[in-house]
Amino acid sequence: MPEFFNVLPPQQALAALLKVLPPPSIALEEVPAQDSLGRVTATDLVSQQDLPTFPRSTVDGYSLRAADSFGATEGLPACFSVVGEVPMGRAPAIAVSLGEAAGTYTGGMLASGADAVIMVEHTQQIDADTIEVVRPVAPGENVVQPGEDVRTGDSILPRGHLLRPQDVGGLAALGITSLPVARRPRVAVLSMGDEVVSPENEPAVGQIRDVNSYTIASQILRGGAEPVPLGIVPDNYEDQLEVARRGLENSDALVFSAGSSVSARDMTADIINALGKPGVLVHGLSIHPGKPAIVGMVDQKPVFGLPGNPVSAMIVFDLLVHPILYHLAGCTTLPEPARTAARLDRDVASVPGREDYLPVRLKRGDLDGSEELVAEPVFGKSNLIFTLIRADGLVQVPLDKAGLYAGETVVVRLFQ
Amino acid sequence: MPEFFNVLPPQQALAALLKVLPPPSIALEEVPAQDSLGRVTATDLVSQQDLPTFPRSTVDGYSLRAADSFGATEGLPACFSVVGEVPMGRAPAIAVSLGEAAGTYTGGMLASGADAVIMVEHTQQIDADTIEVVRPVAPGENVVQPGEDVRTGDSILPRGHLLRPQDVGGLAALGITSLPVARRPRVAVLSMGDEVVSPENEPAVGQIRDVNSYTIASQILRGGAEPVPLGIVPDNYEDQLEVARRGLENSDALVFSAGSSVSARDMTADIINALGKPGVLVHGLSIHPGKPAIVGMVDQKPVFGLPGNPVSAMIVFDLLVHPILYHLAGCTTLPEPARTAARLDRDVASVPGREDYLPVRLKRGDLDGSEELVAEPVFGKSNLIFTLIRADGLVQVPLDKAGLYAGETVVVRLFQ
């Protein structure tokens, strides 16, 4: 039973894969803008117009000629005749000249001839047709100018941008009702092992239900991609190779949810090497749990052998597969993982020379009677899925540390 | 034009609403476990079985009787006859007695009669049928016992739990192929304003396209709920009241995407009060931007009047509507918002007595030549949607602060 060859830290393993992976070449598809949340732009989007298209007031008040307000104070206010009101949503039929003002609403147009808006709070109503202005306004004050939000020809969203709620709003603002996005990457998942049965079956003695391909499929969905389940294939080299080959042909990436024994890992590595060149790139990571992971590339597509232990598989997916899903979709910047700071409630030992990932549960603090978040380690063997279910996130113990101290503030990577 | 009455910090506004809202009573629906990611459990789930169901090895090695290894050292190893191998996925046909061992794989069963597994690394192969064991193992060492992950009758997921990838895996592990979850809360969105037109239309002079109801619909999706668009209704009290009334009847909550003028805000408040009791609970928040927000309740359902400015609307949604969506679904603990620490690249002034939310862009650091994240404020009026599109998150300046200093480490709430 041979051991690992080139054990690497996860960041180096990721870099090794990214170095050989071709630039993303996934097909694009046109989607309605209102269905584009979470998708990745497939082209550079450029504004075809100025936004706003007309000068808009940012306050409720009166539009007027700024010069007419110069010198106005509480003690010596400037008097204006109110010549009407600019209705919302229509071009102003009203104009102001010397000493005249027109009622103007937030978001509305200014009266013709006006170049500023005085806030209603800085005026006093004298009678139905007259106001006093108690401070001066500068030209352009309380006005958004045409093109101040976006100008014609401005890049609004670059290619490779992951669309968020405000981006969907921005598309609406510019009248962009559909746009090209990257097709969701298709990720084939092959579950391997003589002992593995589908969840709807009652396992016989010695059998277990397939856990990892369900966790993995959910993680694929979370990464904006589409899981393609290849089912469970018993430990037969030829069968697994054949199913993997067909799966990879119809997908953009392949994940093996392998048995966790050394022999199962070796079989996975053999299959990856048999599928095509260059095959296995990294065999083993310097992390715990998650050491027995495999990273490879076949026919320009990424291939991963995840450890059989559910905890290990999930951590390796987060560290290696998740960023690659975004790469496949052409995403230029990865979303930052959700994190929170918390204080550790006890000492935790670790082995220097590897990154340890420690599942923790978060509680509102008892430490020092403060209200801050407290991280409480969830101890459990890495082959127990409920270790992760009882946890809210992971604390990383860096490579060079021999542990963490009680009371230390740690960064918790949140499960979501 | 009256100003605000009871301006509250957002946490107090949320508390005021939660105090009067009834306990969640949303209908449940049965979904397949593999489609349950992001849904909220509607019942307490209890395990009907022990997991694992049999003692499983956590390593590759040999199962044996622990007592036979006692006293073994590198210098004085214990000798064992290898009587065979336990196959994966089947009950062991093999038994070990005094001085016997059986090849055993990670995740596999132990041979009958064995009570521990010695790691292959702690053995030496002497010949095809003999190994030497160079250290003792304790009874139960390297073995997961039946029920060690979960026991029959254990609560596995409480009611009100938001399902994550590992939870979907845990359901698979226990053979739970479908489960009752809360129906997604339906949230009606009413866009108001004479000046607002639908994105597919070309706005005339003085008109703008509807931005907020698209941003809001996307935020509703992100909160695990279903947006129910009620369309754009011009500034006519009777029409808006009628559309709002019908919308609320068919939904679990109602959001007004109102015009941003004081008159529009007052109209929203009047409509909320006319819809039913108790009506408006909070009119105005002590935050910037986002002050002109309304929180109310009608017929036991939450109702929100969001400010017309896109930046304000989005911030108020995150602070107030987002948590309520989870409350409606029966979620007992809110997911922590995604945050990251970063260093501010310049001084930022703020007004004490209100919480300021400052959009920032994140960059890999130049400050001090370090590689940490740097937060660069995106200055822009709060009615410019592209202020948010150019930003990666928000920095909160607390109520009691007059600003933040350049170089200060701040917590950035990430847009996702």
Side-chain angles (χ1 to χ4, degrees), chain B residues 197-230:
Chain B
V197 300
S198 189
E200 64 271 23
N201 295 331
E202 195 60 47
V205 175
Q207 295 183 327
I208 57 154
R209 291 194 175 95
D210 186 12
V211 172
N212 288 8
S213 56
Y214 292 84
T215 309
I216 292 166
S218 299
Q219 288 182 291
I220 290 170
L221 288 170
R222 277 287 153 85
E226 184 192 334
V228 180
L230 302 179

mmCIF file of all heavy atoms in Angstrom, chain B residues 197-230:
data_model
loop_
_atom_site.group_PDB
_atom_site.id
_atom_site.type_symbol
_atom_site.label_atom_id
_atom_site.label_comp_id
_atom_site.label_asym_id
_atom_site.label_seq_id
_atom_site.Cartn_x
_atom_site.Cartn_y
_atom_site.Cartn_z
ATOM 1 N N VAL B 197 -41.256 53.807 -15.142
ATOM 2 C CA VAL B 197 -41.718 52.948 -16.233
ATOM 3 C C VAL B 197 -40.951 51.628 -16.167
ATOM 4 O O VAL B 197 -39.888 51.526 -15.563
ATOM 5 C CB VAL B 197 -41.517 53.603 -17.622
ATOM 6 C CG1 VAL B 197 -42.285 54.915 -17.716
ATOM 7 C CG2 VAL B 197 -40.041 53.812 -17.949
ATOM 8 N N SER B 198 -41.511 50.625 -16.806
ATOM 9 C CA SER B 198 -40.923 49.283 -16.811
ATOM 10 C C SER B 198 -39.638 49.291 -17.652
ATOM 11 O O SER B 198 -39.520 50.071 -18.594
ATOM 12 C CB SER B 198 -41.966 48.332 -17.395
ATOM 13 O OG SER B 198 -41.561 47.007 -17.234
ATOM 14 N N PRO B 199 -38.648 48.443 -17.303
ATOM 15 C CA PRO B 199 -37.347 48.486 -17.990
ATOM 16 C C PRO B 199 -37.417 48.317 -19.503
ATOM 17 O O PRO B 199 -36.557 48.845 -20.218
ATOM 18 C CB PRO B 199 -36.564 47.319 -17.362
ATOM 19 C CG PRO B 199 -37.175 47.116 -16.043
ATOM 20 C CD PRO B 199 -38.624 47.477 -16.182
ATOM 21 N N GLU B 200 -38.432 47.592 -19.999
ATOM 22 C CA GLU B 200 -38.463 47.370 -21.444
ATOM 23 C C GLU B 200 -38.959 48.610 -22.193
ATOM 24 O O GLU B 200 -38.870 48.675 -23.416
ATOM 25 C CB GLU B 200 -39.323 46.140 -21.806
ATOM 26 C CG GLU B 200 -40.793 46.242 -21.465
ATOM 27 C CD GLU B 200 -41.101 45.757 -20.056
ATOM 28 O OE1 GLU B 200 -40.173 45.752 -19.208
ATOM 29 O OE2 GLU B 200 -42.261 45.422 -19.791
ATOM 30 N N ASN B 201 -39.451 49.600 -21.465
ATOM 31 C CA ASN B 201 -39.928 50.823 -22.118
ATOM 32 C C ASN B 201 -38.845 51.888 -22.180
ATOM 33 O O ASN B 201 -37.973 51.949 -21.323
ATOM 34 C CB ASN B 201 -41.129 51.391 -21.354
ATOM 35 C CG ASN B 201 -42.318 50.457 -21.424
ATOM 36 O OD1 ASN B 201 -42.470 49.720 -22.404
ATOM 37 N ND2 ASN B 201 -43.128 50.451 -20.380
ATOM 38 N N GLU B 202 -38.953 52.736 -23.204
ATOM 39 C CA GLU B 202 -38.049 53.872 -23.349
ATOM 40 C C GLU B 202 -38.651 55.016 -22.532
ATOM 41 O O GLU B 202 -39.754 55.470 -22.822
ATOM 42 C CB GLU B 202 -37.946 54.249 -24.827
ATOM 43 C CG GLU B 202 -36.786 55.164 -25.172
ATOM 44 C CD GLU B 202 -35.435 54.542 -24.832
ATOM 45 O OE1 GLU B 202 -35.222 53.356 -25.177
ATOM 46 O OE2 GLU B 202 -34.625 55.240 -24.207
ATOM 47 N N PRO B 203 -37.948 55.466 -21.469
ATOM 48 C CA PRO B 203 -38.547 56.534 -20.654
ATOM 49 C C PRO B 203 -38.648 57.841 -21.441
ATOM 50 O O PRO B 203 -37.728 58.185 -22.193
ATOM 51 C CB PRO B 203 -37.553 56.694 -19.488
ATOM 52 C CG PRO B 203 -36.593 55.559 -19.587
ATOM 53 C CD PRO B 203 -36.618 55.073 -20.999
ATOM 54 N N ALA B 204 -39.770 58.544 -21.289
ATOM 55 C CA ALA B 204 -39.904 59.892 -21.843
ATOM 56 C C ALA B 204 -39.131 60.851 -20.926
ATOM 57 O O ALA B 204 -38.646 60.452 -19.860
ATOM 58 C CB ALA B 204 -41.376 60.284 -21.912
ATOM 59 N N VAL B 205 -39.013 62.098 -21.332
ATOM 60 C CA VAL B 205 -38.334 63.082 -20.492
ATOM 61 C C VAL B 205 -39.052 63.162 -19.136
ATOM 62 O O VAL B 205 -40.276 63.224 -19.088
ATOM 63 C CB VAL B 205 -38.313 64.465 -21.180
ATOM 64 C CG1 VAL B 205 -37.722 65.511 -20.250
ATOM 65 C CG2 VAL B 205 -37.508 64.387 -22.468
ATOM 66 N N GLY B 206 -38.294 63.094 -18.059
ATOM 67 C CA GLY B 206 -38.877 63.146 -16.712
ATOM 68 C C GLY B 206 -39.188 61.786 -16.149
ATOM 69 O O GLY B 206 -39.469 61.663 -14.963
ATOM 70 N N GLN B 207 -39.129 60.736 -16.982
ATOM 71 C CA GLN B 207 -39.406 59.387 -16.493
ATOM 72 C C GLN B 207 -38.104 58.624 -16.227
ATOM 73 O O GLN B 207 -37.056 58.945 -16.790
ATOM 74 C CB GLN B 207 -40.227 58.609 -17.528
ATOM 75 C CG GLN B 207 -41.615 59.195 -17.743
ATOM 76 C CD GLN B 207 -42.434 58.360 -18.708
ATOM 77 O OE1 GLN B 207 -41.900 57.752 -19.640
ATOM 78 N NE2 GLN B 207 -43.740 58.346 -18.486
ATOM 79 N N ILE B 208 -38.184 57.629 -15.381
ATOM 80 C CA ILE B 208 -37.050 56.727 -15.164
ATOM 81 C C ILE B 208 -37.554 55.297 -15.166
ATOM 82 O O ILE B 208 -38.725 55.043 -14.902
ATOM 83 C CB ILE B 208 -36.336 56.998 -13.816
ATOM 84 C CG1 ILE B 208 -37.348 56.881 -12.657
ATOM 85 C CG2 ILE B 208 -35.650 58.335 -13.808
ATOM 86 C CD1 ILE B 208 -36.691 56.518 -11.358
ATOM 87 N N ARG B 209 -36.624 54.387 -15.446
ATOM 88 C CA ARG B 209 -37.000 52.978 -15.413
ATOM 89 C C ARG B 209 -37.027 52.486 -13.964
ATOM 90 O O ARG B 209 -36.293 52.971 -13.112
ATOM 91 C CB ARG B 209 -36.008 52.145 -16.216
ATOM 92 C CG ARG B 209 -36.079 52.400 -17.715
ATOM 93 C CD ARG B 209 -35.311 51.306 -18.445
ATOM 94 N NE ARG B 209 -35.426 51.425 -19.889
ATOM 95 C CZ ARG B 209 -34.531 52.044 -20.660
ATOM 96 N NH1 ARG B 209 -33.482 52.617 -20.123
ATOM 97 N NH2 ARG B 209 -34.704 52.100 -21.965
ATOM 98 N N ASP B 210 -37.873 51.508 -13.731
ATOM 99 C CA ASP B 210 -37.987 50.871 -12.427
ATOM 100 C C ASP B 210 -36.690 50.106 -12.144
ATOM 101 O O ASP B 210 -36.340 49.189 -12.863
ATOM 102 C CB ASP B 210 -39.173 49.909 -12.458
ATOM 103 C CG ASP B 210 -39.461 49.308 -11.096
ATOM 104 O OD1 ASP B 210 -38.911 49.797 -10.096
ATOM 105 O OD2 ASP B 210 -40.261 48.349 -11.039
ATOM 106 N N VAL B 211 -35.970 50.498 -11.122
ATOM 107 C CA VAL B 211 -34.738 49.811 -10.720
ATOM 108 C C VAL B 211 -35.010 48.962 -9.477
ATOM 109 O O VAL B 211 -34.686 47.784 -9.402
ATOM 110 C CB VAL B 211 -33.622 50.837 -10.402
ATOM 111 C CG1 VAL B 211 -32.405 50.139 -9.804
ATOM 112 C CG2 VAL B 211 -33.244 51.604 -11.655
ATOM 113 N N ASN B 212 -35.642 49.610 -8.499
ATOM 114 C CA ASN B 212 -35.697 48.991 -7.171
ATOM 115 C C ASN B 212 -36.474 47.696 -7.124
ATOM 116 O O ASN B 212 -36.101 46.789 -6.381
ATOM 117 C CB ASN B 212 -36.298 49.978 -6.164
ATOM 118 C CG ASN B 212 -35.330 51.087 -5.844
ATOM 119 O OD1 ASN B 212 -34.289 51.191 -6.482
ATOM 120 N ND2 ASN B 212 -35.670 51.916 -4.883
ATOM 121 N N SER B 213 -37.557 47.579 -7.911
ATOM 122 C CA SER B 213 -38.305 46.334 -7.745
ATOM 123 C C SER B 213 -37.506 45.156 -8.294
ATOM 124 O O SER B 213 -37.721 44.014 -7.864
ATOM 125 C CB SER B 213 -39.720 46.419 -8.300
ATOM 126 O OG SER B 213 -39.709 46.782 -9.621
ATOM 127 N N TYR B 214 -36.526 45.423 -9.176
ATOM 128 C CA TYR B 214 -35.664 44.329 -9.659
ATOM 129 C C TYR B 214 -34.578 43.982 -8.638
ATOM 130 O O TYR B 214 -34.294 42.816 -8.382
ATOM 131 C CB TYR B 214 -35.077 44.679 -11.028
ATOM 132 C CG TYR B 214 -36.189 44.694 -12.049
ATOM 133 C CD1 TYR B 214 -36.976 45.843 -12.226
ATOM 134 C CD2 TYR B 214 -36.527 43.551 -12.740
ATOM 135 C CE1 TYR B 214 -38.053 45.835 -13.095
ATOM 136 C CE2 TYR B 214 -37.600 43.524 -13.606
ATOM 137 C CZ TYR B 214 -38.366 44.678 -13.781
ATOM 138 O OH TYR B 214 -39.432 44.652 -14.624
ATOM 139 N N THR B 215 -33.999 45.013 -8.043
ATOM 140 C CA THR B 215 -33.037 44.774 -6.964
ATOM 141 C C THR B 215 -33.726 44.041 -5.809
ATOM 142 O O THR B 215 -33.209 43.042 -5.282
ATOM 143 C CB THR B 215 -32.482 46.115 -6.446
ATOM 144 O OG1 THR B 215 -32.029 46.879 -7.555
ATOM 145 C CG2 THR B 215 -31.335 45.908 -5.488
ATOM 146 N N ILE B 216 -34.911 44.527 -5.464
ATOM 147 C CA ILE B 216 -35.645 43.948 -4.332
ATOM 148 C C ILE B 216 -36.046 42.504 -4.618
ATOM 149 O O ILE B 216 -35.896 41.623 -3.763
ATOM 150 C CB ILE B 216 -36.891 44.809 -4.016
ATOM 151 C CG1 ILE B 216 -36.450 46.179 -3.467
ATOM 152 C CG2 ILE B 216 -37.826 44.111 -3.040
ATOM 153 C CD1 ILE B 216 -37.561 47.223 -3.449
ATOM 154 N N ALA B 217 -36.536 42.230 -5.845
ATOM 155 C CA ALA B 217 -36.914 40.855 -6.193
ATOM 156 C C ALA B 217 -35.703 39.932 -6.062
ATOM 157 O O ALA B 217 -35.808 38.806 -5.566
ATOM 158 C CB ALA B 217 -37.483 40.798 -7.608
ATOM 159 N N SER B 218 -34.532 40.422 -6.464
ATOM 160 C CA SER B 218 -33.317 39.603 -6.361
ATOM 161 C C SER B 218 -32.947 39.387 -4.901
ATOM 162 O O SER B 218 -32.509 38.295 -4.515
ATOM 163 C CB SER B 218 -32.156 40.284 -7.092
ATOM 164 O OG SER B 218 -32.459 40.444 -8.467
ATOM 165 N N GLN B 219 -33.120 40.418 -4.086
ATOM 166 C CA GLN B 219 -32.829 40.255 -2.657
ATOM 167 C C GLN B 219 -33.814 39.278 -2.004
ATOM 168 O O GLN B 219 -33.439 38.537 -1.103
ATOM 169 C CB GLN B 219 -32.873 41.611 -1.945
ATOM 170 C CG GLN B 219 -31.682 42.501 -2.296
ATOM 171 C CD GLN B 219 -31.734 43.806 -1.526
ATOM 172 O OE1 GLN B 219 -32.594 44.647 -1.753
ATOM 173 N NE2 GLN B 219 -30.811 43.978 -0.594
ATOM 174 N N ILE B 220 -35.048 39.297 -2.456
ATOM 175 C CA ILE B 220 -36.045 38.345 -1.932
ATOM 176 C C ILE B 220 -35.619 36.918 -2.276
ATOM 177 O O ILE B 220 -35.651 36.019 -1.424
ATOM 178 C CB ILE B 220 -37.447 38.675 -2.493
ATOM 179 C CG1 ILE B 220 -37.958 39.998 -1.885
ATOM 180 C CG2 ILE B 220 -38.434 37.537 -2.225
ATOM 181 C CD1 ILE B 220 -39.222 40.548 -2.533
ATOM 182 N N LEU B 221 -35.187 36.704 -3.520
ATOM 183 C CA LEU B 221 -34.688 35.378 -3.917
ATOM 184 C C LEU B 221 -33.512 34.965 -3.039
ATOM 185 O O LEU B 221 -33.423 33.825 -2.588
ATOM 186 C CB LEU B 221 -34.250 35.388 -5.384
ATOM 187 C CG LEU B 221 -35.362 35.451 -6.431
ATOM 188 C CD1 LEU B 221 -34.778 35.699 -7.816
ATOM 189 C CD2 LEU B 221 -36.176 34.156 -6.428
ATOM 190 N N ARG B 222 -32.598 35.889 -2.797
ATOM 191 C CA ARG B 222 -31.438 35.593 -1.959
ATOM 192 C C ARG B 222 -31.837 35.224 -0.539
ATOM 193 O O ARG B 222 -31.126 34.502 0.151
ATOM 194 C CB ARG B 222 -30.503 36.825 -1.899
ATOM 195 C CG ARG B 222 -29.574 36.930 -3.052
ATOM 196 C CD ARG B 222 -28.472 35.898 -2.953
ATOM 197 N NE ARG B 222 -27.925 35.523 -4.237
ATOM 198 C CZ ARG B 222 -26.968 36.158 -4.880
ATOM 199 N NH1 ARG B 222 -26.422 37.223 -4.343
ATOM 200 N NH2 ARG B 222 -26.543 35.735 -6.049
ATOM 201 N N GLY B 223 -32.980 35.725 -0.102
ATOM 202 C CA GLY B 223 -33.463 35.426 1.243
ATOM 203 C C GLY B 223 -34.318 34.164 1.285
ATOM 204 O O GLY B 223 -35.003 33.919 2.272
ATOM 205 N N GLY B 224 -34.291 33.383 0.206
ATOM 206 C CA GLY B 224 -35.011 32.111 0.193
ATOM 207 C C GLY B 224 -36.506 32.255 0.012
ATOM 208 O O GLY B 224 -37.258 31.315 0.266
ATOM 209 N N ALA B 225 -36.956 33.425 -0.432
ATOM 210 C CA ALA B 225 -38.383 33.657 -0.584
ATOM 211 C C ALA B 225 -38.720 33.889 -2.054
ATOM 212 O O ALA B 225 -37.842 33.908 -2.915
ATOM 213 C CB ALA B 225 -38.817 34.845 0.274
ATOM 214 N N GLU B 226 -40.024 34.048 -2.308
ATOM 215 C CA GLU B 226 -40.506 34.160 -3.681
ATOM 216 C C GLU B 226 -41.068 35.560 -3.912
ATOM 217 O O GLU B 226 -42.033 35.948 -3.258
ATOM 218 C CB GLU B 226 -41.603 33.107 -3.888
ATOM 219 C CG GLU B 226 -42.142 33.023 -5.277
ATOM 220 C CD GLU B 226 -43.417 32.177 -5.331
ATOM 221 O OE1 GLU B 226 -43.590 31.301 -4.473
ATOM 222 O OE2 GLU B 226 -44.245 32.425 -6.214
ATOM 223 N N PRO B 227 -40.497 36.328 -4.842
ATOM 224 C CA PRO B 227 -41.056 37.653 -5.113
ATOM 225 C C PRO B 227 -42.344 37.549 -5.922
ATOM 226 O O PRO B 227 -42.444 36.721 -6.828
ATOM 227 C CB PRO B 227 -39.956 38.349 -5.934
ATOM 228 C CG PRO B 227 -39.121 37.249 -6.512
ATOM 229 C CD PRO B 227 -39.296 36.026 -5.642
ATOM 230 N N VAL B 228 -43.314 38.366 -5.552
ATOM 231 C CA VAL B 228 -44.585 38.427 -6.279
ATOM 232 C C VAL B 228 -44.734 39.860 -6.783
ATOM 233 O O VAL B 228 -45.168 40.746 -6.045
ATOM 234 C CB VAL B 228 -45.772 38.069 -5.356
ATOM 235 C CG1 VAL B 228 -47.083 38.130 -6.121
ATOM 236 C CG2 VAL B 228 -45.571 36.701 -4.711
ATOM 237 N N PRO B 229 -44.353 40.124 -8.034
ATOM 238 C CA PRO B 229 -44.388 41.511 -8.513
ATOM 239 C C PRO B 229 -45.820 41.979 -8.745
ATOM 240 O O PRO B 229 -46.605 41.300 -9.399
ATOM 241 C CB PRO B 229 -43.596 41.454 -9.831
ATOM 242 C CG PRO B 229 -43.408 40.021 -10.169
ATOM 243 C CD PRO B 229 -43.844 39.173 -9.021
ATOM 244 N N LEU B 230 -46.141 43.123 -8.192
ATOM 245 C CA LEU B 230 -47.478 43.708 -8.376
ATOM 246 C C LEU B 230 -47.460 44.784 -9.460
ATOM 247 O O LEU B 230 -48.480 45.419 -9.707
ATOM 248 C CB LEU B 230 -47.982 44.312 -7.062
ATOM 249 C CG LEU B 230 -48.087 43.364 -5.861
ATOM 250 C CD1 LEU B 230 -48.587 44.125 -4.637
ATOM 251 C CD2 LEU B 230 -49.008 42.181 -6.177
#
